[in-house]
Amino acid sequence: MLVNGIKTWAPILPVKRVVLDFSSPNIAKEMHVGHLRSTIIGDTLARMFEFSNVEVLRRNHVGDWGTQFGMLIEFLFEKFPNWEELGSQAIGDLQVFYKASKQRFDEDAEFKDRAQQAGGEEKYRAAWKKICEISRNEFDQVYKLLDVQLEEKGESFYNPYIPQVLEKLSSQGLIEESEGARVIFIQGHQIPLIVVKRDGGFNYASTDLAALWYRLNVEKAEWIIYVTDVGQQQHFDMFFKAARMAGWLPDPKEKKFPKTSHVGFGLVLGADGKRFRTRSTEVVRLGDLLDEAKSRSKSELLQRLTENGKIVDWTDEELEQTSKAVGYGAVKYADLKNNRLTNYTFSFDQMLSDKGNTAVYLQYAHARICSIIRKSNMDVEELKVSGNISLAHPDERVLGLYLIRYAEIVEEACTNLLPSVLCEYLYNLSEMFTRFYTNCQVVGSPEEPSRLLLCEATAVVMRQCFQLLGITPVYKL
Ligand code: ARG
């Protein structure tokens, strides 16, 4: 029952459609480790909901709108008069470009003026598109490496909806004039939520209100989930409350849908206890980070295989695939295993260790089970059809009972939006397996058929956990 058909052991959740707003970096600015966390946590949540038969709209709410674009566009015109013909590589590093344009903006009043007036003409739109496209290519490389699917609906997408949404809120008497701006006063907050700036422009909050309206009314989502650092908690708290005042959402005490949730997470710290940065540059290139994890795991693997004289058994392709699965998996797991609200210290040594609660340890545990199954002379596939599992030994019972809790665990992780719950389950499972395997002989024992099936069930559930965590399992290590 357990080893057959995946969907029979998925939980049943009280929602059908979820909008998951995650990753969401800003065009032309750095995609920092905070965005990496959002991408990894968001993807796992999406996978868990999808597994539970919930439709997930994976939304990349990129920052592709705002005052910085006038500055970027003017700078583009100035630096690259032939910008229209340029390929996406020609501008070079967009973050460097951003910094240079900011400097120009701060130092030259005439340039600043021009940047603030920019807009309207077709040529500005074309330039804006070009800049977005360059950024998008960079982001997509990271998503490809991480094997994360996202659909971009950036801030600009919701722009046309802002006036009508604000109009509605205004007619409900929620919007007031305050010091030249238009704001919503919210109980429990000293400063109001600004929805129209003093210069008449819209902002992050007005965009988020329009996006929420769209997600509720057009996309008909029942649960709208936002994954960002905890630093943005106040913003979310305020605009969720504004939406409740407008009657868009029920009181959270009623525990009804539709509902909104902010999935906050802590900082990524370096070994020095400060915000994580690499040595050479102040920003961490996500691609480099993943590369390093992979090459470190590759040299570990090579060393181990050489010592055991096993290197001949491995093709280059296998080596490459395995070190990628182990390295990338280590980065993801290190992020997911902690309660997301706590800060975590980024350390290659720690995450790539084969001891303790790491992805590497879990990959070894899984590969060991696979090798036990390979060593047996029995055919597991056949046993799955004709065999039975009997849980006679206490350690068999503990393992078996834990295996059937899988759906309950996924349900808990979804309900509380906590990927760490699934990580903890996976780790405990491998510990229970070790205890079982230490105390119960499998290959060559009279109980071999049943115990082999228990091994297989454990491997299947472990792989299912890996899959929900976005980690590629390896079968030999
Ligand atoms: N672009 C924002 C940032 O980098 C995150 C956006 C999160 N989503 C939202 N709907 N506000 O901080």
Side-chain angles (χ1 to χ4, degrees):
M1 189 173 59
L2 186 70
V3 285
N4 288 333
I6 284 163
K7 289 294 180 186
T8 54
W9 35 298
I12 297 165
L13 300 179
V15 284
K16 293 217 153 33
R17 186 177 294 154
V18 163
V19 162
L20 199 58
D21 177 322
F22 70 107
S23 193
S24 310
N26 302 311
I27 300 286
K29 291 196 195 160
E30 53 163 321
M31 185 172 181
H32 50 70
V33 275
H35 294 120
L36 180 67
R37 285 209 84 178
S38 174
T39 309
I40 293 173
I41 295 171
D43 181 52
T44 293
L45 292 174
R47 286 167 184 263
M48 295 193 304
F49 279 109
E50 283 154 357
F51 171 76
S52 311
N53 300 304
V54 174
E55 182 189 355
V56 180
L57 309 182
R58 295 162 163 257
R59 290 288 178 262
N60 201 1
H61 192 83
V62 297
D64 62 354
W65 204 252
T67 40
Q68 79 269 29
F69 279 93
M71 169 185 98
L72 286 166
I73 290 168
E74 278 305 329
F75 197 62
L76 180 73
F77 292 164
E78 202 173 88
K79 275 267 170 207
F80 300 95
N82 64 332
W83 60 273
E84 272 159 300
E85 292 121 55
L86 293 177
S88 58
Q89 305 301 319
I91 294 180
D93 190 318
L94 208 53
Q95 287 162 39
V96 175
F97 183 81
Y98 182 90
K99 278 203 185 124
S101 75
K102 179 85 172 77
Q103 194 175 0
R104 181 99 174 79
F105 184 86
D106 291 338
E107 285 168 3
D108 187 320
E110 191 265 334
F111 178 87
K112 187 171 176 173
D113 245 23
R114 249 189 299 144
Q116 284 168 337
Q117 312 282 304
E121 286 170 56
E122 193 44 45
K123 126 173 159 178
Y124 286 99
R125 216 185 145 69
W128 169 75
K129 273 196 171 158
K130 182 113 210 159
I131 292 169
C132 291
E133 196 183 292
I134 298 169
S135 263
R136 189 174 302 125
N137 285 339
E138 283 177 17
F139 300 156
D140 282 348
Q141 282 173 25
V142 177
Y143 300 142
K144 206 167 145 197
L145 285 176
L146 291 172
D147 187 24
V148 169
Q149 305 292 327
L150 270 156
E151 189 190 341
E152 182 182 320
K153 264 195 175 33
E155 293 181 13
S156 65
F157 176 86
Y158 304 99
N159 228 33
Y161 299 93
I162 298 177
Q164 65 199 65
V165 168
L166 293 187
E167 186 57 45
K168 260 190 233 114
L169 296 174
S170 205
S171 69
Q172 291 177 287
L174 293 175
I175 298 183
E176 294 171 49
E177 201 74 30
S178 173
E179 295 174 31
R182 302 186 65 204
V183 307
I184 302 177
F185 282 96
I186 288 156
Q187 235 190 9
H189 289 273
Q190 298 255 297
I191 19 156
L193 183 71
I194 300 177
V195 292
V196 184
K197 292 184 290 181
R198 237 184 285 180
D199 64 7
F202 301 135
N203 61 5
Y204 193 49
S206 35
T207 305
D208 259 331
L209 279 169
L212 177 57
W213 178 88
Y214 184 88
R215 290 163 177 180
L216 288 168
N217 296 287
V218 181
E219 297 184 317
K220 308 249 185 266
E222 295 148 280
W223 197 355
I224 299 114
I225 302 165
Y226 303 81
V227 189
T228 79
D229 61 292
V230 281
Q232 295 195 38
Q233 176 143 13
Q234 170 153 321
H235 162 76
F236 286 101
D237 194 36
M238 285 179 86
F239 98 84
F240 290 172
K241 279 191 179 138
R244 257 174 243 136
M245 285 160 67
W248 297 359
L249 301 167
D251 190 310
K253 278 192 222 97
E254 291 179 41
K255 297 204 187 312
K256 277 197 196 138
F257 293 97
K259 93 176 184 187
T260 51
S261 298
H262 175 226
V263 173
F265 53 79
L267 294 173
V268 184
L269 305 175
D272 55 0
K274 297 206 188 99
R275 241 169 202 280
F276 182 56
R277 304 223 186 275
T278 42
R279 297 134 274 158
S280 48
T281 50
E282 44 200 300
V283 297
V284 180
R285 301 236 163 257
L286 304 183
D288 295 351
L289 212 135
L290 293 167
D291 273 353
E292 178 152 358
K294 178 180 149 191
S295 63
R296 282 185 187 227
S297 77
K298 190 168 186 171
S299 41
E300 284 276 321
L301 187 59
L302 274 172
Q303 199 184 346
R304 228 175 36 82
L305 292 173
T306 319
E307 273 168 18
N308 299 343
K310 276 173 79 180
I311 189 110
V312 280
D313 299 346
W314 286 64
T315 64
D316 282 352
E317 170 81 10
E318 271 180 326
L319 253 178
E320 187 66 17
Q321 297 291 343
T322 306
S323 38
K324 189 172 156 191
V326 173
Y328 290 11
V331 174
K332 288 189 179 181
Y333 190 80
D335 194 318
L336 295 167
K337 75 167 184 184
N338 305 301
N339 178 312
R340 55 180 162 72
L341 287 167
T342 53
N343 296 343
Y344 90 92
T345 305
F346 191 96
S347 154
F348 282 118
D349 289 337
Q350 224 167 62
M351 66 178 75
L352 290 167
S353 160
D354 56 7
K355 286 171 202 73
N357 188 0
T358 68
V360 184
Y361 166 80
L362 294 164
Q363 293 273 24
Y364 271 111
H366 172 257
R368 191 177 324 116
I369 304 177
C370 295
S371 111
I372 296 166
I373 296 170
R374 277 196 300 268
K375 272 198 209 113
S376 162
N377 290 322
M378 297 190 166
D379 180 353
V380 176
E381 293 309 315
E382 208 178 287
L383 282 176
K384 277 198 219 169
V385 183
S386 59
N388 269 318
I389 297 184
S390 88
L391 304 173
H393 190 282
D395 291 322
E396 289 178 314
R397 207 147 44 231
V398 169
L399 178 60
L401 289 175
Y402 203 56
L403 282 170
I404 55 172
R405 288 191 54 198
Y406 177 72
E408 178 195 324
I409 297 295
V410 176
E411 179 173 350
E412 187 190 332
C414 284
T415 309
N416 298 321
L417 304 169
L418 286 176
S420 55
V421 167
L422 189 66
C423 295
E424 200 184 304
Y425 174 78
L426 177 56
Y427 181 68
N428 289 342
L429 186 59
S430 72
E431 295 276 276
M432 284 172 196
F433 180 83
T434 305
R435 213 165 305 134
F436 152 75
Y437 191 62
T438 314
N439 298 327
C440 303
Q441 189 192 345
V442 179
V443 179
S445 73
E447 297 90 345
E448 184 167 350
S450 162
R451 289 186 176 167
L452 210 58
L453 276 176
L454 198 53
C455 289
E456 172 72 4
T458 308
V460 169
V461 174
M462 284 188 84
R463 282 201 285 279
Q464 193 59 54
C465 291
F466 280 131
Q467 209 253 323
L468 297 191
L469 298 172
I471 299 173
T472 311
V474 300
Y475 291 76
K476 77 176 197 187
L477 206 58

